[in-house]
Amino acid sequence: MKKIPFVTKEQVEEIVKTYPTPFHLYDEKGIRENAKAVKEAFAWNSGFREYFAVKANPNPYILKIMKDYDFGCDCSSYTELMLAKSCGFDGEHIMFSSNDTPAEEFAYANELGAIINLDDLTHVDFLEETIGHIPETISCRYNPGGVFELSNGIMDNPGDAKYGMTKEQLFTAFRLLKEKGAKKFGVHAFLASNTVTNEYYPKLAKQLFTLVAELHEQTGCEIAFVNLSGGVGIPYTPDKEPNDIRAIGEGVRKVYEEVLVPAGLGGIKIYAEMGRFMLGPYGGLVTKAIHEKHTYKEYIGVDACAANLMRPAIYGAYHHITVLGKEDEPCEYTYDVTGSLCENCDKFAVNRRLPKIEKGDYLFIHDAGAHGFAMGYNYNGKLRSAELLLQEDNSVKLIRRAETPQDYFATFDCFEDIKIER
Ligand SMILES: *Cc1c(COP(=O)(O)O)cnc(C)c1O
């Protein structure tokens, strides 16, 4: 499927008059249409809720859009909890799916009344020691081990993942939690990342529904929800077809009716914790070509770097690039598109076929809305960019300012003998 940016060159030329490149830009219309489609796809389940994975895009303006659909937040750290609270999410709308969790984070999650999702059997006692009791509603994360396979092959390797409990541990945890006063239980699993197939959620759901029927029967615990977590992917490359969330919702409904309803468990709520699927395609990194270099290869140097979008540098991830204004020109040149970090992996694209790029051209780096800005860092003293929201009326709103040297040096402010001139 041809990838078309949600902005034009003319729009970007207007935006840069106020906000210089590089910047992350989000498409409010796209975000809202997708959120609505997610809600509709699971409307058959009256308790359905998406808990947006905050780590994918921890911006309060984005969280507030999610709130309009009665979605919640999936948090896994202290500051993510603070963000959720500040945006007005109550405990019922906060899922705390953490791992290797520090005591103070459990304490704060409990203070907010968040739903706590335990990553390990030992966390039952750890939580009880930390907060003095076991909450009435509690969730446990499951890891079946082995590999997770769909019809197109092995999708991921849960047996190698640090997350979740074995089946035996899960049963032990449920019995123990019940003894300690828990009344309502949830099961969570995240078994494959960025799955670009409509099969993932239904297959996962079938596995979890079968499991909770067994848990219910053997432990007598009341199962309140099944949390399908994240992993619903997006097509980063143009050759892939996007997931159809309606088909996914329908697939989950089928197995729900096949497994849970006959087991008398037709009241179980379906939860999701999607991040990438909710935001990925609706964000782009806009950057300007500032250099061209001809050595053993052809390089285009841009004003963004891996500090703004780390995925290509750390995973070799493909992010499609459109040269704005040259959407229909033939891709007759082969470039490496580089950032300025003193790291050779700082390349947004390697051997990429693109139209001829001139200095001053604006490049739109696609699918940066999730795990994009959020993974940013300050290596080489690079400053994180602004985030902008392209609103439904086509006006642009600054939703996070760019960092300044003041921000970068702020952690030295308490030292009397260090003064950095800014
Ligand atoms: C990262 C994460 C998610 C979101 O994953 P996506 O692939 O972005 O949908 C959901 N739940 C947990 C616990 C996570 O760590």
Side-chain angles (χ1 to χ4, degrees):
M1 205 144 127
K2 185 169 169 161
K3 285 189 167 279
I4 300 162
F6 54 78
V7 277
T8 61
K9 179 185 176 198
E10 290 67 34
Q11 277 173 298
V12 165
E13 283 171 344
E14 256 327 286
I15 298 169
V16 297
K17 289 180 187 164
T18 316
Y19 307 109
T21 54
F23 51 78
H24 281 268
L25 182 68
Y26 306 112
D27 171 24
E28 182 172 8
K29 184 160 172 280
I31 296 169
R32 287 188 182 277
E33 280 171 4
N34 183 63
K36 208 162 143 270
V38 166
K39 222 176 155 69
E40 284 167 13
F42 288 91
W44 56 266
N45 184 259
S46 60
F48 172 78
R49 178 163 293 140
E50 150 73 1
Y51 290 84
F52 174 65
V54 173
K55 76 166 191 270
N57 194 320
N59 187 301
Y61 290 95
I62 299 293
L63 298 190
K64 284 183 177 171
I65 295 176
M66 296 298 150
K67 202 159 183 281
D68 287 346
Y69 301 86
D70 196 36
F71 292 166
C73 290
D74 164 39
C75 302
S76 57
S77 68
Y78 202 93
T79 47
E80 286 179 3
L81 288 168
M82 289 171 72
L83 199 53
K85 176 177 190 278
S86 306
C87 292
F89 291 90
D90 61 14
E92 198 194 332
H93 288 78
I94 303 174
M95 184 67 63
F96 188 55
S97 284
S98 61
N99 69 92
D100 190 17
T101 315
E104 58 273 21
E105 298 192 4
F106 273 140
Y108 189 44
N110 176 61
E111 195 183 309
L112 300 183
I115 304 172
I116 294 176
N117 182 29
L118 298 174
D119 183 64
D120 190 47
L121 175 56
T122 61
H123 293 186
V124 175
D125 287 339
F126 186 82
L127 178 66
E128 191 181 33
E129 283 158 23
T130 303
I131 67 172
H133 69 284
I134 289 296
E136 274 200 10
T137 300
I138 193 88
S139 173
C140 290
R141 184 165 183 167
Y142 172 55
N143 182 338
V147 293
F148 191 87
E149 249 182 305
L150 294 173
S151 59
N152 53 349
I154 292 175
M155 300 301 295
D156 224 319
N157 202 349
D160 231 17
K162 65 173 177 170
Y163 312 107
M165 311 181 194
T166 67
K167 186 170 176 186
E168 201 186 333
Q169 290 171 339
L170 187 69
F171 276 72
T172 308
F174 267 49
R175 291 196 173 97
L176 190 59
L177 288 162
K178 191 177 176 213
E179 248 172 59
K180 293 178 184 291
K183 300 257 184 307
K184 290 184 174 177
F185 293 78
V187 171
H188 167 282
F190 189 158
L191 303 185
S193 266
N194 192 37
T195 58
V196 190
T197 153
N198 297 331
E199 268 181 79
Y200 171 62
Y201 256 14
K203 168 113 193 239
L204 171 69
K206 186 160 185 178
Q207 208 171 328
L208 294 182
F209 293 166
T210 310
L211 177 73
V212 297
E214 208 182 314
L215 271 166
H216 173 68
E217 198 184 289
Q218 291 191 21
T219 64
C221 292
E222 183 194 332
I223 316 289
F225 61 86
V226 167
N227 185 345
L228 300 174
S229 188
V232 178
I234 60 167
Y236 285 98
T237 51
D239 60 312
K240 289 212 175 91
E241 275 300 303
N243 283 334
D244 175 355
I245 196 67
R246 286 182 180 80
I248 292 174
E250 195 48 27
V252 174
R253 188 184 65 79
K254 277 210 189 88
V255 289
Y256 190 97
E257 282 171 7
E258 185 187 317
V259 181
L260 290 182
V261 174
L265 298 172
I268 289 181
K269 298 172 185 170
I270 303 297
Y271 291 165
E273 293 174 345
M274 293 179 280
R276 196 185 310 272
F277 187 78
M278 303 308 292
L279 250 299
Y282 315 110
L285 174 58
V286 180
T287 182
K288 188 161 77 173
I290 55 172
H291 292 289
E292 51 182 287
K293 175 170 176 168
H294 319 279
T295 52
Y296 308 104
K297 296 183 90 172
E298 293 296 299
Y299 293 102
I300 295 295
V302 296
D303 60 1
C305 67
N308 305 111
L309 175 65
M310 207 178 178
R311 298 185 71 261
I314 54 170
Y315 316 121
Y318 180 97
H319 278 262
H320 197 67
I321 296 178
T322 298
V323 184
L324 294 175
K326 299 184 177 175
E327 286 81 352
D328 298 320
E329 285 185 22
C331 294
E332 291 176 330
Y333 290 77
T334 302
Y335 294 116
D336 279 15
V337 178
T338 71
S340 57
L341 293 188
C342 303
E343 279 280 354
N344 196 41
C345 63
D346 186 14
K347 295 179 175 178
F348 290 112
V350 175
N351 300 332
R352 183 75 57 88
R353 298 290 288 169
L354 288 163
K356 173 143 186 68
I357 297 175
E358 250 97 24
K359 277 197 274 182
D361 277 348
Y362 293 107
L363 274 59
F364 183 90
I365 305 181
H366 291 251
D367 301 315
H371 313 294
F373 177 94
M375 276 190 189
Y377 63 130
N378 285 124
Y379 191 53
N380 258 184
K382 292 291 174 180
L383 304 174
R384 275 171 283 234
S385 77
E387 292 181 289
L388 308 175
L389 184 66
L390 178 64
Q391 300 179 108
E392 289 179 288
D393 63 0
N394 273 333
S395 64
V396 165
K397 182 185 169 96
L398 179 70
I399 59 171
R400 188 194 301 261
R401 68 161 170 81
E403 282 180 346
T404 64
Q406 263 73 7
D407 300 315
Y408 182 70
F409 293 119
T411 43
F412 296 117
D413 283 352
C414 53
F415 297 94
E416 288 299 315
D417 56 336
I418 302 277
K419 286 276 167 281
I420 293 157
E421 289 189 31
R422 306 172 203 172

